[in-house]
mmCIF file of all heavy atoms in Angstrom:
data_model
loop_
_atom_site.group_PDB
_atom_site.id
_atom_site.type_symbol
_atom_site.label_atom_id
_atom_site.label_comp_id
_atom_site.label_asym_id
_atom_site.label_seq_id
_atom_site.Cartn_x
_atom_site.Cartn_y
_atom_site.Cartn_z
ATOM 1 N N ARG K 1 -4.745 15.950 29.024
ATOM 2 C CA ARG K 1 -5.870 15.788 28.094
ATOM 3 C C ARG K 1 -5.446 14.966 26.884
ATOM 4 O O ARG K 1 -6.186 14.089 26.429
ATOM 5 C CB ARG K 1 -6.374 17.159 27.626
ATOM 6 C CG ARG K 1 -7.559 17.635 28.417
ATOM 7 C CD ARG K 1 -8.125 18.870 27.829
ATOM 8 N NE ARG K 1 -7.171 19.948 28.110
ATOM 9 C CZ ARG K 1 -7.067 21.062 27.419
ATOM 10 N NH1 ARG K 1 -7.847 21.275 26.391
ATOM 11 N NH2 ARG K 1 -6.198 21.969 27.745
ATOM 12 N N LEU K 2 -4.272 15.235 26.353
ATOM 13 C CA LEU K 2 -3.776 14.460 25.213
ATOM 14 C C LEU K 2 -3.559 12.998 25.591
ATOM 15 O O LEU K 2 -3.878 12.093 24.810
ATOM 16 C CB LEU K 2 -2.472 15.059 24.692
ATOM 17 C CG LEU K 2 -2.598 16.403 23.967
ATOM 18 C CD1 LEU K 2 -1.223 16.932 23.610
ATOM 19 C CD2 LEU K 2 -3.446 16.254 22.724
ATOM 20 N N ALA K 3 -3.042 12.778 26.782
ATOM 21 C CA ALA K 3 -2.836 11.406 27.246
ATOM 22 C C ALA K 3 -4.172 10.683 27.382
ATOM 23 O O ALA K 3 -4.300 9.513 26.985
ATOM 24 C CB ALA K 3 -2.092 11.409 28.571
ATOM 25 N N ASP K 4 -5.191 11.372 27.953
ATOM 26 C CA ASP K 4 -6.512 10.751 28.086
ATOM 27 C C ASP K 4 -7.120 10.442 26.720
ATOM 28 O O ASP K 4 -7.769 9.403 26.533
ATOM 29 C CB ASP K 4 -7.447 11.671 28.886
ATOM 30 C CG ASP K 4 -7.092 11.701 30.361
ATOM 31 O OD1 ASP K 4 -6.367 10.779 30.816
ATOM 32 O OD2 ASP K 4 -7.542 12.638 31.057
ATOM 33 N N ARG K 5 -6.902 11.328 25.759
ATOM 34 C CA ARG K 5 -7.435 11.101 24.419
ATOM 35 C C ARG K 5 -6.765 9.891 23.769
ATOM 36 O O ARG K 5 -7.416 9.060 23.138
ATOM 37 C CB ARG K 5 -7.195 12.341 23.565
ATOM 38 C CG ARG K 5 -8.307 12.570 22.572
ATOM 39 C CD ARG K 5 -8.066 13.766 21.712
ATOM 40 N NE ARG K 5 -8.025 14.994 22.509
ATOM 41 C CZ ARG K 5 -7.603 16.149 22.042
ATOM 42 N NH1 ARG K 5 -7.174 16.244 20.794
ATOM 43 N NH2 ARG K 5 -7.602 17.217 22.797
ATOM 44 N N LYS K 6 -5.454 9.781 23.952
ATOM 45 C CA LYS K 6 -4.725 8.632 23.394
ATOM 46 C C LYS K 6 -5.164 7.333 24.056
ATOM 47 O O LYS K 6 -5.310 6.301 23.399
ATOM 48 C CB LYS K 6 -3.219 8.827 23.569
ATOM 49 C CG LYS K 6 -2.632 9.827 22.621
ATOM 50 C CD LYS K 6 -1.139 9.914 22.812
ATOM 51 C CE LYS K 6 -0.521 10.916 21.871
ATOM 52 N NZ LYS K 6 0.926 11.002 22.045
ATOM 53 N N ILE K 7 -5.378 7.377 25.364
ATOM 54 C CA ILE K 7 -5.819 6.178 26.081
ATOM 55 C C ILE K 7 -7.194 5.746 25.595
ATOM 56 O O ILE K 7 -7.456 4.555 25.377
ATOM 57 C CB ILE K 7 -5.814 6.433 27.607
ATOM 58 C CG1 ILE K 7 -4.371 6.552 28.095
ATOM 59 C CG2 ILE K 7 -6.535 5.329 28.353
ATOM 60 C CD1 ILE K 7 -4.251 7.039 29.523
ATOM 61 N N ALA K 8 -8.105 6.719 25.409
ATOM 62 C CA ALA K 8 -9.449 6.395 24.928
ATOM 63 C C ALA K 8 -9.393 5.781 23.527
ATOM 64 O O ALA K 8 -10.103 4.811 23.237
ATOM 65 C CB ALA K 8 -10.310 7.647 24.931
ATOM 66 N N LYS K 9 -8.552 6.333 22.659
ATOM 67 C CA LYS K 9 -8.419 5.794 21.311
ATOM 68 C C LYS K 9 -7.854 4.374 21.351
ATOM 69 O O LYS K 9 -8.327 3.484 20.628
ATOM 70 C CB LYS K 9 -7.498 6.700 20.491
ATOM 71 C CG LYS K 9 -7.418 6.334 19.042
ATOM 72 C CD LYS K 9 -6.563 7.333 18.282
ATOM 73 C CE LYS K 9 -6.513 6.963 16.823
ATOM 74 N NZ LYS K 9 -5.688 7.895 16.060
ATOM 75 N N PHE K 10 -6.870 4.153 22.201
ATOM 76 C CA PHE K 10 -6.296 2.822 22.357
ATOM 77 C C PHE K 10 -7.337 1.826 22.847
ATOM 78 O O PHE K 10 -7.431 0.710 22.344
ATOM 79 C CB PHE K 10 -5.121 2.894 23.344
ATOM 80 C CG PHE K 10 -4.460 1.575 23.578
ATOM 81 C CD1 PHE K 10 -3.605 1.027 22.641
ATOM 82 C CD2 PHE K 10 -4.688 0.864 24.746
ATOM 83 C CE1 PHE K 10 -2.990 -0.183 22.859
ATOM 84 C CE2 PHE K 10 -4.081 -0.351 24.969
ATOM 85 C CZ PHE K 10 -3.227 -0.872 24.019
ATOM 86 N N GLN K 11 -8.162 2.236 23.820
ATOM 87 C CA GLN K 11 -9.195 1.351 24.355
ATOM 88 C C GLN K 11 -10.232 1.009 23.285
ATOM 89 O O GLN K 11 -10.695 -0.134 23.209
ATOM 90 C CB GLN K 11 -9.882 2.004 25.572
ATOM 91 C CG GLN K 11 -8.990 2.119 26.786
ATOM 92 C CD GLN K 11 -8.554 0.753 27.310
ATOM 93 O OE1 GLN K 11 -9.234 -0.249 27.164
ATOM 94 N NE2 GLN K 11 -7.352 0.741 27.898
ATOM 95 N N ARG K 12 -10.588 1.975 22.441
ATOM 96 C CA ARG K 12 -11.537 1.690 21.349
ATOM 97 C C ARG K 12 -10.936 0.683 20.378
ATOM 98 O O ARG K 12 -11.626 -0.222 19.904
ATOM 99 C CB ARG K 12 -11.886 2.978 20.602
ATOM 100 C CG ARG K 12 -12.923 3.816 21.280
ATOM 101 C CD ARG K 12 -13.482 4.859 20.341
ATOM 102 N NE ARG K 12 -12.448 5.685 19.726
ATOM 103 C CZ ARG K 12 -12.019 6.844 20.183
ATOM 104 N NH1 ARG K 12 -12.541 7.338 21.292
ATOM 105 N NH2 ARG K 12 -11.082 7.511 19.539
ATOM 106 N N ASN K 13 -9.643 0.828 20.078
ATOM 107 C CA ASN K 13 -8.993 -0.115 19.164
ATOM 108 C C ASN K 13 -8.926 -1.514 19.770
ATOM 109 O O ASN K 13 -9.068 -2.505 19.062
ATOM 110 C CB ASN K 13 -7.584 0.367 18.820
ATOM 111 C CG ASN K 13 -7.600 1.524 17.854
ATOM 112 O OD1 ASN K 13 -8.591 1.761 17.169
ATOM 113 N ND2 ASN K 13 -6.507 2.264 17.816
ATOM 114 N N ILE K 14 -8.721 -1.609 21.065
ATOM 115 C CA ILE K 14 -8.666 -2.912 21.731
ATOM 116 C C ILE K 14 -10.031 -3.589 21.681
ATOM 117 O O ILE K 14 -10.134 -4.789 21.406
ATOM 118 C CB ILE K 14 -8.189 -2.759 23.195
ATOM 119 C CG1 ILE K 14 -6.724 -2.337 23.236
ATOM 120 C CG2 ILE K 14 -8.400 -4.026 23.987
ATOM 121 C CD1 ILE K 14 -5.773 -3.339 22.647
ATOM 122 N N THR K 15 -11.086 -2.850 21.896
ATOM 123 C CA THR K 15 -12.417 -3.466 21.882
ATOM 124 C C THR K 15 -12.836 -3.869 20.478
ATOM 125 O O THR K 15 -13.617 -4.793 20.300
ATOM 126 C CB THR K 15 -13.475 -2.518 22.480
ATOM 127 O OG1 THR K 15 -13.470 -1.293 21.751
ATOM 128 C CG2 THR K 15 -13.196 -2.249 23.947
ATOM 129 N N ARG K 16 -12.293 -3.199 19.460
ATOM 130 C CA ARG K 16 -12.631 -3.559 18.078
ATOM 131 C C ARG K 16 -11.712 -4.634 17.522
ATOM 132 O O ARG K 16 -11.920 -5.106 16.411
ATOM 133 C CB ARG K 16 -12.535 -2.331 17.183
ATOM 134 C CG ARG K 16 -13.740 -1.441 17.281
ATOM 135 C CD ARG K 16 -13.687 -0.409 16.218
ATOM 136 N NE ARG K 16 -12.749 0.632 16.631
ATOM 137 C CZ ARG K 16 -12.340 1.606 15.845
ATOM 138 N NH1 ARG K 16 -12.745 1.678 14.613
ATOM 139 N NH2 ARG K 16 -11.494 2.509 16.296
ATOM 140 N N SER K 17 -10.714 -5.025 18.249
ATOM 141 C CA SER K 17 -9.736 -5.983 17.764
ATOM 142 C C SER K 17 -10.400 -7.325 17.438
ATOM 143 O O SER K 17 -11.160 -7.866 18.226
ATOM 144 C CB SER K 17 -8.656 -6.193 18.823
ATOM 145 O OG SER K 17 -7.772 -7.198 18.424
ATOM 146 N N GLY K 18 -10.096 -7.849 16.258
ATOM 147 C CA GLY K 18 -10.623 -9.151 15.860
ATOM 148 C C GLY K 18 -11.988 -9.111 15.221
ATOM 149 O O GLY K 18 -12.525 -10.135 14.843
ATOM 150 N N SER K 19 -12.579 -7.943 15.067
ATOM 151 C CA SER K 19 -13.907 -7.870 14.455
ATOM 152 C C SER K 19 -13.798 -7.264 13.066
ATOM 153 O O SER K 19 -14.347 -6.203 12.787
ATOM 154 C CB SER K 19 -14.858 -7.053 15.322
ATOM 155 O OG SER K 19 -14.362 -5.742 15.478
ATOM 156 N N ALA K 20 -13.068 -7.939 12.182
ATOM 157 C CA ALA K 20 -12.887 -7.466 10.816
ATOM 158 C C ALA K 20 -14.151 -7.739 10.014
ATOM 159 O O ALA K 20 -14.895 -8.692 10.272
ATOM 160 C CB ALA K 20 -11.702 -8.167 10.175
ATOM 161 N N ALA K 21 -14.380 -6.910 9.035
ATOM 162 C CA ALA K 21 -15.551 -7.072 8.175
ATOM 163 C C ALA K 21 -15.361 -8.285 7.267
ATOM 164 O O ALA K 21 -14.244 -8.761 7.049
ATOM 165 C CB ALA K 21 -15.756 -5.820 7.342
ATOM 166 N N ASP K 22 -16.466 -8.772 6.718
ATOM 167 C CA ASP K 22 -16.394 -9.925 5.828
ATOM 168 C C ASP K 22 -15.708 -9.586 4.515
ATOM 169 O O ASP K 22 -15.224 -10.465 3.815
ATOM 170 C CB ASP K 22 -17.801 -10.448 5.531
ATOM 171 C CG ASP K 22 -18.400 -11.146 6.744
ATOM 172 O OD1 ASP K 22 -17.627 -11.558 7.623
ATOM 173 O OD2 ASP K 22 -19.638 -11.279 6.796
ATOM 174 N N THR K 23 -15.663 -8.330 4.157
ATOM 175 C CA THR K 23 -15.063 -7.938 2.886
ATOM 176 C C THR K 23 -13.561 -7.737 2.998
ATOM 177 O O THR K 23 -12.955 -7.167 2.119
ATOM 178 C CB THR K 23 -15.701 -6.632 2.379
ATOM 179 O OG1 THR K 23 -15.505 -5.621 3.366
ATOM 180 C CG2 THR K 23 -17.177 -6.816 2.106
ATOM 181 N N ALA K 24 -12.957 -8.196 4.080
ATOM 182 C CA ALA K 24 -11.519 -8.011 4.268
ATOM 183 C C ALA K 24 -10.723 -8.855 3.272
ATOM 184 O O ALA K 24 -9.663 -8.451 2.824
ATOM 185 C CB ALA K 24 -11.116 -8.376 5.694
ATOM 186 N N GLY K 25 -11.214 -10.024 2.905
ATOM 187 C CA GLY K 25 -10.505 -10.885 1.966
ATOM 188 C C GLY K 25 -10.820 -10.510 0.538
ATOM 189 O O GLY K 25 -11.813 -9.862 0.237
ATOM 190 N N LYS K 26 -9.944 -10.934 -0.382
ATOM 191 C CA LYS K 26 -10.182 -10.654 -1.796
ATOM 192 C C LYS K 26 -11.287 -11.556 -2.316
ATOM 193 O O LYS K 26 -11.306 -12.755 -2.068
ATOM 194 C CB LYS K 26 -8.916 -10.912 -2.606
ATOM 195 C CG LYS K 26 -7.972 -9.772 -2.658
ATOM 196 C CD LYS K 26 -6.900 -10.079 -3.689
ATOM 197 C CE LYS K 26 -5.972 -8.911 -3.842
ATOM 198 N NZ LYS K 26 -4.931 -9.184 -4.805
ATOM 199 N N LYS K 27 -12.171 -10.960 -3.031
ATOM 200 C CA LYS K 27 -13.215 -11.739 -3.690
ATOM 201 C C LYS K 27 -13.259 -11.323 -5.142
ATOM 202 O O LYS K 27 -12.997 -10.182 -5.485
ATOM 203 C CB LYS K 27 -14.567 -11.498 -3.025
ATOM 204 C CG LYS K 27 -14.609 -12.052 -1.619
ATOM 205 C CD LYS K 27 -15.968 -11.952 -1.021
ATOM 206 C CE LYS K 27 -15.924 -12.555 0.374
ATOM 207 N NZ LYS K 27 -17.163 -12.456 1.054
ATOM 208 N N GLY K 28 -13.595 -12.234 -5.999
ATOM 209 C CA GLY K 28 -13.637 -11.915 -7.414
ATOM 210 C C GLY K 28 -12.374 -12.393 -8.101
ATOM 211 O O GLY K 28 -11.589 -13.160 -7.565
ATOM 212 N N LYS K 29 -12.204 -11.895 -9.312
ATOM 213 C CA LYS K 29 -11.062 -12.332 -10.115
ATOM 214 C C LYS K 29 -10.102 -11.175 -10.322
ATOM 215 O O LYS K 29 -9.832 -10.778 -11.446
ATOM 216 C CB LYS K 29 -11.563 -12.877 -11.440
ATOM 217 C CG LYS K 29 -12.389 -14.123 -11.278
ATOM 218 C CD LYS K 29 -12.635 -14.809 -12.573
ATOM 219 C CE LYS K 29 -13.406 -16.072 -12.299
ATOM 220 N NZ LYS K 29 -13.306 -17.028 -13.331
ATOM 221 N N ASP K 30 -9.590 -10.627 -9.256
ATOM 222 C CA ASP K 30 -8.600 -9.569 -9.341
ATOM 223 C C ASP K 30 -7.222 -10.199 -9.400
ATOM 224 O O ASP K 30 -6.799 -10.896 -8.494
ATOM 225 C CB ASP K 30 -8.684 -8.643 -8.125
ATOM 226 C CG ASP K 30 -9.970 -7.849 -8.114
ATOM 227 O OD1 ASP K 30 -10.513 -7.616 -9.211
ATOM 228 O OD2 ASP K 30 -10.412 -7.464 -7.027
ATOM 229 N N TYR K 31 -6.533 -9.953 -10.508
ATOM 230 C CA TYR K 31 -5.201 -10.493 -10.675
ATOM 231 C C TYR K 31 -4.187 -9.510 -10.098
ATOM 232 O O TYR K 31 -4.382 -8.304 -10.175
ATOM 233 C CB TYR K 31 -4.920 -10.746 -12.154
ATOM 234 C CG TYR K 31 -5.834 -11.778 -12.763
ATOM 235 C CD1 TYR K 31 -6.814 -11.413 -13.667
ATOM 236 C CD2 TYR K 31 -5.721 -13.109 -12.404
ATOM 237 C CE1 TYR K 31 -7.664 -12.357 -14.220
ATOM 238 C CE2 TYR K 31 -6.556 -14.062 -12.941
ATOM 239 C CZ TYR K 31 -7.528 -13.686 -13.853
ATOM 240 O OH TYR K 31 -8.356 -14.618 -14.384
ATOM 241 N N PRO K 32 -3.086 -10.006 -9.553
ATOM 242 C CA PRO K 32 -2.090 -9.091 -8.986
ATOM 243 C C PRO K 32 -1.365 -8.259 -10.044
ATOM 244 O O PRO K 32 -0.825 -7.229 -9.741
ATOM 245 C CB PRO K 32 -1.136 -10.004 -8.240
ATOM 246 C CG PRO K 32 -1.345 -11.343 -8.806
ATOM 247 C CD PRO K 32 -2.754 -11.392 -9.306
ATOM 248 N N VAL K 33 -1.349 -8.717 -11.310
ATOM 249 C CA VAL K 33 -0.743 -7.936 -12.385
ATOM 250 C C VAL K 33 -1.774 -7.736 -13.487
ATOM 251 O O VAL K 33 -2.704 -8.525 -13.658
ATOM 252 C CB VAL K 33 0.503 -8.633 -12.977
ATOM 253 C CG1 VAL K 33 1.617 -8.729 -11.967
ATOM 254 C CG2 VAL K 33 0.165 -9.998 -13.511
ATOM 255 N N GLY K 34 -1.601 -6.684 -14.247
ATOM 256 C CA GLY K 34 -2.516 -6.386 -15.337
ATOM 257 C C GLY K 34 -2.258 -7.263 -16.547
ATOM 258 O O GLY K 34 -1.216 -7.918 -16.665
ATOM 259 N N PRO K 35 -3.199 -7.274 -17.491
ATOM 260 C CA PRO K 35 -3.042 -8.112 -18.680
ATOM 261 C C PRO K 35 -1.897 -7.658 -19.577
ATOM 262 O O PRO K 35 -1.258 -8.480 -20.236
ATOM 263 C CB PRO K 35 -4.389 -7.996 -19.393
ATOM 264 C CG PRO K 35 -5.015 -6.769 -18.849
ATOM 265 C CD PRO K 35 -4.492 -6.582 -17.471
ATOM 266 N N ILE K 36 -1.586 -6.362 -19.584
ATOM 267 C CA ILE K 36 -0.495 -5.865 -20.423
ATOM 268 C C ILE K 36 0.846 -6.351 -19.880
ATOM 269 O O ILE K 36 1.710 -6.815 -20.641
ATOM 270 C CB ILE K 36 -0.542 -4.329 -20.505
ATOM 271 C CG1 ILE K 36 -1.813 -3.897 -21.243
ATOM 272 C CG2 ILE K 36 0.694 -3.779 -21.195
ATOM 273 C CD1 ILE K 36 -2.052 -2.426 -21.247
ATOM 274 N N VAL K 37 1.016 -6.284 -18.571
ATOM 275 C CA VAL K 37 2.256 -6.750 -17.958
ATOM 276 C C VAL K 37 2.405 -8.252 -18.148
ATOM 277 O O VAL K 37 3.498 -8.754 -18.454
ATOM 278 C CB VAL K 37 2.292 -6.382 -16.464
ATOM 279 C CG1 VAL K 37 3.511 -6.965 -15.786
ATOM 280 C CG2 VAL K 37 2.244 -4.888 -16.287
ATOM 281 N N LEU K 38 1.309 -8.976 -17.988
ATOM 282 C CA LEU K 38 1.352 -10.425 -18.192
ATOM 283 C C LEU K 38 1.695 -10.762 -19.638
ATOM 284 O O LEU K 38 2.509 -11.660 -19.903
ATOM 285 C CB LEU K 38 0.010 -11.040 -17.792
ATOM 286 C CG LEU K 38 -0.085 -12.551 -17.820
ATOM 287 C CD1 LEU K 38 0.884 -13.155 -16.819
ATOM 288 C CD2 LEU K 38 -1.501 -12.985 -17.503
ATOM 289 N N GLY K 39 1.096 -10.051 -20.592
ATOM 290 C CA GLY K 39 1.402 -10.272 -22.008
ATOM 291 C C GLY K 39 2.846 -9.978 -22.334
ATOM 292 O O GLY K 39 3.497 -10.711 -23.088
ATOM 293 N N PHE K 40 3.384 -8.891 -21.762
ATOM 294 C CA PHE K 40 4.792 -8.548 -21.979
ATOM 295 C C PHE K 40 5.708 -9.629 -21.417
ATOM 296 O O PHE K 40 6.687 -10.017 -22.048
ATOM 297 C CB PHE K 40 5.100 -7.194 -21.352
ATOM 298 C CG PHE K 40 6.523 -6.775 -21.512
ATOM 299 C CD1 PHE K 40 7.000 -6.363 -22.740
ATOM 300 C CD2 PHE K 40 7.384 -6.812 -20.434
ATOM 301 C CE1 PHE K 40 8.336 -5.980 -22.900
ATOM 302 C CE2 PHE K 40 8.706 -6.434 -20.575
ATOM 303 C CZ PHE K 40 9.178 -6.016 -21.807
ATOM 304 N N PHE K 41 5.372 -10.132 -20.231
ATOM 305 C CA PHE K 41 6.178 -11.196 -19.615
ATOM 306 C C PHE K 41 6.174 -12.449 -20.489
ATOM 307 O O PHE K 41 7.224 -13.060 -20.732
ATOM 308 C CB PHE K 41 5.643 -11.509 -18.217
ATOM 309 C CG PHE K 41 6.391 -12.590 -17.514
ATOM 310 C CD1 PHE K 41 7.659 -12.366 -17.007
ATOM 311 C CD2 PHE K 41 5.827 -13.852 -17.355
ATOM 312 C CE1 PHE K 41 8.368 -13.369 -16.372
ATOM 313 C CE2 PHE K 41 6.520 -14.854 -16.712
ATOM 314 C CZ PHE K 41 7.792 -14.610 -16.224
ATOM 315 N N VAL K 42 5.019 -12.850 -20.981
ATOM 316 C CA VAL K 42 4.922 -14.038 -21.844
ATOM 317 C C VAL K 42 5.711 -13.800 -23.131
ATOM 318 O O VAL K 42 6.430 -14.689 -23.606
ATOM 319 C CB VAL K 42 3.443 -14.370 -22.135
ATOM 320 C CG1 VAL K 42 3.301 -15.397 -23.230
ATOM 321 C CG2 VAL K 42 2.767 -14.854 -20.863
ATOM 322 N N PHE K 43 5.591 -12.593 -23.691
ATOM 323 C CA PHE K 43 6.337 -12.258 -24.910
ATOM 324 C C PHE K 43 7.842 -12.382 -24.688
ATOM 325 O O PHE K 43 8.559 -12.953 -25.510
ATOM 326 C CB PHE K 43 5.969 -10.834 -25.355
ATOM 327 C CG PHE K 43 6.826 -10.310 -26.468
ATOM 328 C CD1 PHE K 43 6.640 -10.745 -27.768
ATOM 329 C CD2 PHE K 43 7.823 -9.385 -26.210
ATOM 330 C CE1 PHE K 43 7.432 -10.271 -28.796
ATOM 331 C CE2 PHE K 43 8.617 -8.897 -27.222
ATOM 332 C CZ PHE K 43 8.429 -9.347 -28.525
ATOM 333 N N VAL K 44 8.331 -11.875 -23.586
ATOM 334 C CA VAL K 44 9.768 -11.922 -23.306
ATOM 335 C C VAL K 44 10.235 -13.351 -23.075
ATOM 336 O O VAL K 44 11.271 -13.778 -23.608
ATOM 337 C CB VAL K 44 10.109 -11.032 -22.088
ATOM 338 C CG1 VAL K 44 11.518 -11.286 -21.600
ATOM 339 C CG2 VAL K 44 9.926 -9.568 -22.434
ATOM 340 N N VAL K 45 9.464 -14.127 -22.328
ATOM 341 C CA VAL K 45 9.866 -15.510 -22.034
ATOM 342 C C VAL K 45 9.869 -16.360 -23.297
ATOM 343 O O VAL K 45 10.839 -17.065 -23.595
ATOM 344 C CB VAL K 45 8.943 -16.121 -20.951
ATOM 345 C CG1 VAL K 45 9.168 -17.616 -20.840
ATOM 346 C CG2 VAL K 45 9.175 -15.435 -19.623
ATOM 347 N N ILE K 46 8.793 -16.294 -24.073
ATOM 348 C CA ILE K 46 8.711 -17.101 -25.293
ATOM 349 C C ILE K 46 9.717 -16.601 -26.327
ATOM 350 O O ILE K 46 10.381 -17.391 -27.001
ATOM 351 C CB ILE K 46 7.272 -17.096 -25.849
ATOM 352 C CG1 ILE K 46 6.359 -17.866 -24.891
ATOM 353 C CG2 ILE K 46 7.212 -17.706 -27.239
ATOM 354 C CD1 ILE K 46 4.909 -17.842 -25.266
#
C-alpha cells in the first residue's frame, strides 16, 4: 500500500512537471538586501 501511494504521488508529480505558475518569477522591486544593510555597506566602503 505504501509503495502504491508513493507511485501515485510520483505519477502526479510527473504529470505536473513543467506547468509552473506565472508568479514563479520575481516581480516588483524586491531587493536581495535591505536598505539598512546596503547603507552599512556603503558607509564601510566610503
